[in-house]
């Protein structure tokens, strides 16, 4: 992997975020919301509204407003929340940390479940395990997040009363309690991801099992476990890296719904609160942060793919 490729990829990420910033700023400009009215209320005097617009730079041309906002963002200043009056950046980054914690646990649980299911379905192709996993995958993909979350809450929290339905505990305060409170949202997100990834693992494993080097390994008299762990899995699971990275985009979108249902103060819930209160700086910051997270994760996945598979060379 050349340094030129890495620099080129970083430039692509920066260019992508620049385009996203233009789109986000343009969309928030056409929203039917006046920052001055949001701050002072509809009963504010015209003089007070004019003073606030002057202070916030709303009287400047749109291009100057964008350049000012972009310059502040590059220095870590996403503006001040119109709802709370506090700086947006610390609030959003703290919320992002909670969402990444939820997302990381969901991805770990998904991999633990999806990989064995996909491999088992591939080895038992056409038989009962394959049929059951396929049915589970189709149901999991077809159900939206709010339906899955509702079913999980009704079964585990309401009927069995095993886990809390809502709430969030920081892992730095009580790690065990944080896992208990995040069990249902993690399960909700993981079930949908498992349905997608397990089908991909199954498909890739079947392709590898029909390859010539697997036949050669079996003809050499290698044990089934050696064929599985040394030859099949390393090649079948490589595409999973890319699929998991692409699922991060879905994860960021799905977390918005899940966090609202389970009352988790992550970036998804911050987005909903910002939209309902027409808090434009918070909306802009959340969109940029989520886009940057997705771009960075996909870049890291490409690097990881090249590190794991020595045949891949980025020049």
């Amino acid at each position: 992997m050349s340094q030129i490729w890495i620099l080129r990829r970083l430039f692509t990420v920066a260019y992508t975020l620049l385009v996203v910033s233009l789109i986000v700023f343009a969309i928030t400009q056409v929203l039917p919301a006046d920052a001055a009215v949001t701050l002072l209320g509809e009963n504010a005097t015209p003089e007070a509204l004019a003073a606030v617009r002057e202070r916030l730079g709303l009287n400047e041309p749109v291009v100057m407003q964008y350049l000012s906002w972009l310059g502040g963002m590059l220095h870590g200043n996403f503006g001040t929340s119109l709802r709370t009056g506090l700086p947006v950046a610390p609030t959003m980054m703290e919320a992002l940390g909670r969402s990444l914690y939820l997302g990381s646990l969901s991805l770990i649980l998904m991999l633990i479940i999806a990989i064995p299911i996909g491999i088992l379905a591939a080895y038992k192709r056409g038989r009962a395990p394959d049929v059951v996993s396929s049915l589970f995958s189709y149901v999991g993909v077809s159900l939206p997040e709010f339906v899955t979350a509702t079913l999980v809450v009704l079964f585990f929290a309401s009927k069995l009363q095993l886990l809390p339905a809502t709430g969030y505990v920081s892992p730095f305060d009580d790690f065990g309690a944080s896992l208990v409170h995040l069990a249902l949202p993690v399960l909700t997100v993981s079930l949908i991801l498992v349905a997608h990834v397990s089908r991909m693992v199954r498909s890739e494993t079947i392709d590898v099992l029909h390859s010539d080097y697997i036949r050669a390994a079996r003809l050499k008299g290698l044990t089934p476990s050696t064929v599985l762990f040394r030859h099949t899995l390393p090649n079948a699971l490589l595409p999973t890296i890319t699929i998991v990275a692409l699922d991060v985009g879905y994860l960021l979108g799905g977390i918005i719904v899940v966090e609202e249902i389970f009352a988790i103060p992550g970036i998804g819930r911050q987005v909903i609160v910002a939209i309902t209160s027409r808090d434009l700086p918070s909306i802009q910051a959340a969109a940029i942060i989520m886009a940057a997270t997705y771009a960075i994760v996909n870049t890291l996945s490409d690097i990881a793919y090249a590190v794991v598979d020595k045949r891949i060379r980025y020049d």
Side-chain angles (χ1 to χ4, degrees):
M1 185 185 308
S2 65
Q3 295 179 349
I4 296 177
W5 179 87
I6 295 177
L7 292 175
R8 185 182 303 162
R9 190 57 189 266
L10 292 177
F11 175 78
T12 303
V13 171
Y15 176 76
T16 302
L17 294 179
L18 178 62
V19 174
V20 170
S21 70
L22 283 168
I23 296 173
V24 169
F25 187 82
I27 292 175
T28 53
Q29 286 296 308
V30 301
L31 289 177
D34 190 328
V37 175
T38 303
L39 280 174
L40 301 180
E42 296 181 356
N43 297 323
T45 63
E47 293 78 11
L49 293 174
V52 170
R53 293 191 183 100
E54 182 68 27
R55 177 169 61 86
L56 297 178
L58 300 179
N59 295 327
E60 297 180 358
V62 175
V63 175
M64 296 305 300
Q65 292 184 43
Y66 170 74
L67 293 177
S68 177
W69 172 70
L70 181 62
M73 185 178 61
L74 293 175
H75 290 85
N77 180 14
F78 287 90
T80 303
S81 171
L82 301 180
R83 182 176 60 90
T84 63
L86 299 174
V88 172
T91 302
M92 284 298 174
M93 296 309 295
E94 184 178 0
L96 177 64
R98 300 188 185 107
S99 296
L100 291 178
Y101 179 47
L102 169 61
S104 299
L105 293 177
S106 301
L107 288 176
I108 292 172
L109 180 61
M110 178 271 293
L111 292 174
I112 292 175
I113 298 175
I115 291 177
I117 289 178
I119 294 173
L120 179 63
Y123 271 87
K124 302 294 182 179
R125 184 182 182 185
R127 286 181 273 181
D130 185 24
V131 175
V132 172
S133 67
S134 298
L135 179 62
F136 169 78
S137 298
Y138 295 141
V139 172
V141 171
S142 62
L143 290 178
E145 296 88 354
F146 65 89
V147 174
T148 305
T150 302
L151 294 176
V152 167
V153 169
L154 289 176
F155 184 74
F156 290 100
S158 179
K159 184 176 181 179
L160 299 180
Q161 297 183 351
L162 295 176
L163 298 166
T166 59
Y168 176 83
V169 177
S170 173
F172 300 104
D173 296 333
D174 190 333
F175 184 71
S178 71
L179 294 179
V180 171
H181 280 80
L182 285 179
L184 293 186
V186 166
L187 181 61
T188 300
V189 176
S190 299
L191 285 176
I192 301 172
L193 294 176
V194 164
H196 182 205
V197 175
S198 63
R199 298 302 297 173
M200 177 58 64
V201 173
R202 173 189 178 275
S203 176
E204 294 296 332
T205 302
I206 290 175
D207 290 342
V208 171
L209 289 175
H210 286 84
S211 60
D212 293 337
Y213 59 87
I214 295 297
R215 296 191 186 96
R218 288 171 174 169
L219 291 175
K220 290 179 180 179
L222 298 179
T223 62
S225 60
T226 301
V227 173
L228 173 63
F229 291 104
R230 183 173 297 179
H231 299 283
T232 304
L233 288 185
N235 294 283
L237 296 183
L238 279 175
T240 306
I241 298 175
T242 303
I243 296 301
V244 171
L246 293 175
D247 280 340
V248 170
Y250 161 79
L251 188 63
L252 292 174
I255 275 181
I256 295 177
V257 178
V258 172
E259 288 181 351
E260 180 64 19
I261 293 175
F262 292 100
I264 299 173
I267 195 168
R269 202 171 189 206
Q270 289 290 338
V271 169
I272 294 179
V273 173
I275 292 175
T276 54
S277 61
R278 296 183 178 180
D279 188 355
L280 298 185
S282 296
I283 296 174
Q284 294 170 337
I288 293 298
I289 290 173
M290 295 175 75
T293 302
Y294 182 68
I296 292 172
V297 169
N298 275 273
T299 300
L300 293 177
S301 73
D302 288 343
I303 296 175
Y305 201 98
V307 171
V308 174
D309 190 352
K310 302 302 181 182
R311 296 170 299 176
I312 302 297
R313 290 293 181 269
Y314 295 124
D315 296 322

